[in-house]
Amino acid sequence: MSGTKNSSQFFTIGLVTAWYSSNIGVLLLNKYLLSNYGFKYPIFLTMCHMTACSLLSYIAIGWMKMVPMQTIRSRVQFMKISALSLIFCTSVVSGNISLRYLPVSFNQAIGATTPFFTAVFAYLMTLKREAWLTYVTLLPVVTGVVIASGGEPSFHLFGFIMCVGATAARALKSVLQGILLSSEGEKLNSMNLLLYMAPIAVVFLLPATLLMEENVVGITLALARDDSRIIWLLLFNSALAYFVNLTNFLVTKHTSALTLQVLGNAKGAVAVVISILIFRNPVSVTGMLGYALTVFGVILYSQAKKRSK
């Protein structure tokens, strides 16, 4: 019996390690490609991610049968998924653009304000009020980012706006997903939702890439002739983007919601430390205190939400 328990614990630890590695890996690789390597095509990069998610989702569900395939039941459901896909694209593209201008540490500090935007959108769209204590806990979340912004040596206004936009779009998607796919007949697990959202995202991103990042394929092939690493970096980065979603689904399935929240909060802090060690971006004491206050606020928010249920 203890052997089964130990193997189950090792499996969970392995899953969490894979989730952390893929999450932090794709973030750092995006930063390296878009900022340090000089591959200045965030929309094309997002399209590569979504193409990989389309192919690998089909292999995982249609061929390997990792989860049962759920079908789209109506045109209305398809339109709802398309709307979610457009918001998802906006979030990922904006996040990738922000990485061209901001260090990963500051990017993660802004990203930690997702609960604030989620609470705002949930109230505006469903008029659902939380307990007053839940809203109070959002004050340190926002205050922390304001402090971190003031103390950020590499602050860039456009990058900041893009990152806030990405965070807001991510929160909007999660709220809309709860509203649009709330009926029993329309509920999709995250793996199946990605299976349908990713190809729709490619359809949205292809014309955007052609219009806004002209001749990006030709430029990428020209880069590849000089340095073949770019092709391998793009392929590995795109596959990693899928594994972020896959491991997130598996960790959600094999742990509790509270464990997931705690791990998620810690993941941001780990990403900050690793990015500072790798990219050596300057950090200030004020900036780190601001980020710490934001994370503390997110933890308080999680606890307040749990108590109000």
Side-chain angles (χ1 to χ4, degrees), residues 5 74 76 89 107 110 196 206 216 235 269 303:
K5 191 179 177 182
S74 65
V76 173
C89 281
N107 180 284
I110 299 166
Y196 295 117
L206 184 59
V216 64
L235 286 171
Q303 291 297 317

Side-chain angles (χ1 to χ4, degrees), residues 10 21 24 76 101 120 141 147 189 225 227 240 267 273-274 280 306:
F10 280 125
S21 303
I24 295 168
V76 173
Y101 303 99
V120 169
V141 173
I147 293 168
N189 63 45
R225 280 193 285 273
D227 182 8
L240 214 52
K267 178 169 59 64
V273 172
I274 292 174
R280 311 264 177 203
K306 194 176 73 165

